[in-house]
């Protein structure tokens, strides 16, 4: 394993501790991939790191710095580009199973041991698969705008969604249409989130490619091939899981969060008001506080204990 | 079909319109059963009647009059004893399928045409089965403290639950332990609900028998035999469904309401705070208002329309 800081990590811009000024790092994994990542929050406390899995076509700069800084106030938080995505080398796979294998290789390369996973959108698919394939490394799981493999009605995004964020060049307006609602407060929150994501002007991550978009969308559609039997996979997840969704998410409807929370034995569910796919950016303070409460709860499974 | 008022329906006690003073009626169905029922709310408006399916071991007097009066302020509401239960003749069946057939026979005997169904606890099992067996008569469905057939972990009530409300003689304290939480506000609400249920001193319904308890619990356990494939049954429900649960229900955990809302295509979900199996009595005003909003919404399926 080797860790390389690829930009000037000693510049003053990277010393205020905010996500928007963190250095981009690279770590080489056993699979030969150099993974781009950013690493923030307290490392000395011996706590469990939180590893974040990004959304469709997203890179390190598509995490709202306000959310990451909120999460990192109490724990180590690591964002990364999976294999073939943005600043990482390799090829983006077209299956969630391989994305999970690639993520497991990154976590191993970072020598993180057991981690908490926060998967967002397609990242939630990969995080579920990591928890299924390698449960020993997943202490707790956060699934944001998520859906289980095989759920009916999930075979690709809705036409207006893929039409907005699936095109070669996506405009800020198209991004806002999917990630925020039509209400003035949500739209305003969206503008502010975009501003925070673009605060960083130097050392921005590499843009994701069309090949990544194609491979990821193949994986999304394959994950969404309806198969009721596959829903039962989640019954073996033994770790506590927090399931969260925007109430008006056009990309992954709250319906699928209900389904996840009903299929996973130890699930907590929260639906955030007046919000869409970007609910976790719009409600970044509440969401970070909810995640912190969930991850630090000594007995998140009290509900489970009451079930036979 | 014959309709018989079995008590003095002209007494002043039955004229204030409150559920606690309604007459008990009997209607003979084609299956030869005389069903006990009460009928309230406006009948002349041409609206769709709401038919209520009662909980384990419950009879007509186990509906909180405050809830029924709230529901009946805007629509016709009918409560009934299913076959073999309390004031109805016949034998309580030990399968949900037969309970559904018996309920369909009652609805036909009453000449109600299409109805809305509110199923509560074991009554929610029967209401689901009615909607599956005879979808044409179910316009909309309310499932309170409900669970789908075949869900894992539902094979009978938890030991502390059946130990409290499954005994030959159940005390008010045991009832409160299952239907209300330990908080002072919930416990107070429980005392008040019990008082309202016992306001009626004349013409109370017949108590349910031990044979009813045994048959109903056989049906509960049979419904709860785990079978993942059976969960898919609900995907064919095309009507709008409102799923509701107390957040601390020890009898049917909110987990199962998540599952229902994730399996039913057009489901709305609400979890009521600091409440247990009796959440709909504790929060009778909110619940009645939520049900009224759901049943009168001209487009409850807006969410559905956005899904492919």
């Amino acid at each position: 394993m080797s860790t390389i800081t690829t930009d000037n990590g000693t510049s003053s811009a990277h010393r205020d501790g905010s996500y928007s000024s963190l250095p981009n790092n690279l770590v080489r994994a056993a699979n030969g991939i150099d993974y781009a990542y950013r690493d923030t929050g307290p490392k000395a406390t011996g706590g469990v790191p939180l590893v974040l899995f990004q959304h469709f076509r997203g890179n390190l700069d598509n995490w709202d710095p306000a959310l990451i800084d909120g999460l990192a106030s109490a724990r180590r938080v690591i964002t990364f580009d999976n294999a073939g995505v943005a600043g990482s080398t390799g090829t983006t796979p077209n299956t969630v199973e391989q994305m999970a294998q690639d993520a497991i290789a990154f976590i191993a390369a970072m020598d993180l041991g057991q981690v908490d996973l926060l998967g967002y959108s397609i990242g939630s698919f990969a995080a579920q698969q990591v928890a299924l394939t390698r449960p020993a490394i997943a202490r707790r799981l956060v699934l944001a705008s998520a859906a289980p493999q095989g759920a009916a009605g999930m075979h690709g995004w809705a036409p207006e969604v893929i039409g907005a964020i699936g095109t070669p060049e996506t405009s800020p307006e198209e991004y806002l249409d999917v990630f925020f609602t039509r209400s003035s407060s949500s739209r305003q929150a969206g503008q502010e989130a975009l501003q925070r994501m673009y605060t960083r002007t130097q050392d921005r991550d590499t843009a994701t490619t069309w090949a990544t978009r194609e491979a990821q969308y193949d994986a999304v559609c394959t994950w969404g091939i309806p198969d009721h039997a596959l829903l039962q996979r989640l019954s073996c997840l033994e770790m506590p899981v927090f399931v969260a969704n925007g109430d008006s998410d056009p990309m992954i409807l709250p319906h699928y969060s209900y389904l996840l929370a009903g299929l996973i034995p130890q699930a907590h569910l929260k639906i955030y008001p007046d919000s869409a796919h970007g609910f976790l950016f719009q409600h970044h303070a509440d969401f970070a506080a909810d995640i912190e409460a969930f991850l630090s709860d000594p007995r998140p499974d009290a509900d489970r204990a009451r079930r036979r």
Side-chain angles (χ1 to χ4, degrees), chain A:
Chain A
M1 180 186 76
S2 60
T3 301
I4 308 149
T5 298
T6 54
D7 64 355
N8 182 354
T10 60
S11 75
S12 61
H14 294 160
R15 282 191 172 153
D16 68 1
S18 163
Y19 183 72
S20 60
S21 58
L22 289 177
N24 300 314
N25 299 311
L26 282 179
V27 62
R28 176 157 298 174
N31 59 7
I33 305 285
D34 290 328
Y35 290 83
Y37 71 97
R38 295 179 191 158
D39 192 349
T40 183
K43 296 175 185 59
T45 55
V48 177
L50 176 63
V51 179
L52 274 56
F53 290 53
Q54 185 58 295
H55 66 69
F56 183 55
R57 305 182 79 183
N59 68 16
L60 299 176
D61 293 320
N62 294 108
W63 291 109
D64 184 341
L67 172 62
I68 307 301
D69 293 344
L71 294 169
S73 66
R75 62 186 60 248
R76 185 177 178 191
V77 178
I78 296 165
T79 61
F80 76 109
D81 290 326
N82 212 341
V85 175
S88 291
T89 64
T91 303
T92 307
N94 64 2
T95 68
V96 171
E97 289 75 6
Q98 187 58 45
M99 291 174 189
Q101 289 295 338
D102 293 341
I104 289 169
F106 167 71
I107 292 165
M110 293 287 288
D111 202 18
L112 296 175
Q114 197 176 45
V115 297
D116 294 326
L117 308 178
L118 187 161
Y120 176 26
S121 193
I122 190 175
S124 81
F125 304 168
Q128 289 174 62
Q129 194 64 38
V130 168
L132 291 166
T133 302
R134 188 73 66 88
I137 66 169
R139 189 188 71 112
R140 295 184 187 179
L141 197 56
V142 179
L143 300 177
S145 292
Q149 185 181 2
M154 274 292 299
H155 190 231
W157 312 133
E160 69 274 16
V161 170
I162 193 66
I165 51 81
T167 51
E169 298 289 333
T170 296
S171 69
E173 199 54 40
E174 287 169 319
Y175 175 85
L176 291 174
D177 282 348
V178 171
F179 282 68
F180 296 85
T181 76
R182 262 60 177 173
S183 80
S184 57
S185 57
S186 181
R187 198 49 66 125
Q188 174 67 22
Q191 296 283 5
E192 292 169 3
L194 278 177
Q195 284 174 359
R196 291 189 295 265
M197 291 182 207
Y198 283 93
T199 297
R200 183 185 187 112
T201 53
Q202 293 189 310
D203 303 320
R204 289 184 67 82
D205 193 9
T206 309
T208 56
T209 64
W210 185 251
T212 290
R213 183 272 189 212
E214 292 272 69
Q216 287 186 338
Y217 198 54
D218 284 356
V220 165
C221 291
T222 303
W223 183 261
I225 296 170
D227 185 340
H228 178 77
L230 289 177
L231 299 179
Q232 197 172 13
R233 304 191 322 151
L234 297 171
S235 65
C236 69
L237 291 185
E238 295 186 350
M239 70 288 291
V241 181
F242 184 86
V243 180
N245 220 108
D247 67 350
S248 304
D249 188 344
M251 196 156 180
I252 303 188
L253 304 183
H255 177 81
Y256 299 103
S257 283
Y258 302 158
L259 188 55
L260 282 167
L263 293 166
I264 296 170
Q266 293 191 61
H268 301 243
L269 173 67
K270 183 166 177 181
I271 307 296
Y272 293 74
D274 183 30
S275 56
H277 203 58
F279 77 91
L280 67 180
F281 304 153
Q282 178 174 339
H283 295 288
H284 60 84
D286 284 348
F287 183 70
D290 291 336
I291 298 311
E292 182 54 35
F294 168 69
L295 294 178
S296 61
D297 185 349
R299 294 186 62 245
D301 54 350
D303 187 65
R304 163 74 168 181
R306 294 184 16 252
R307 209 176 314 151
R308 283 117 313 113

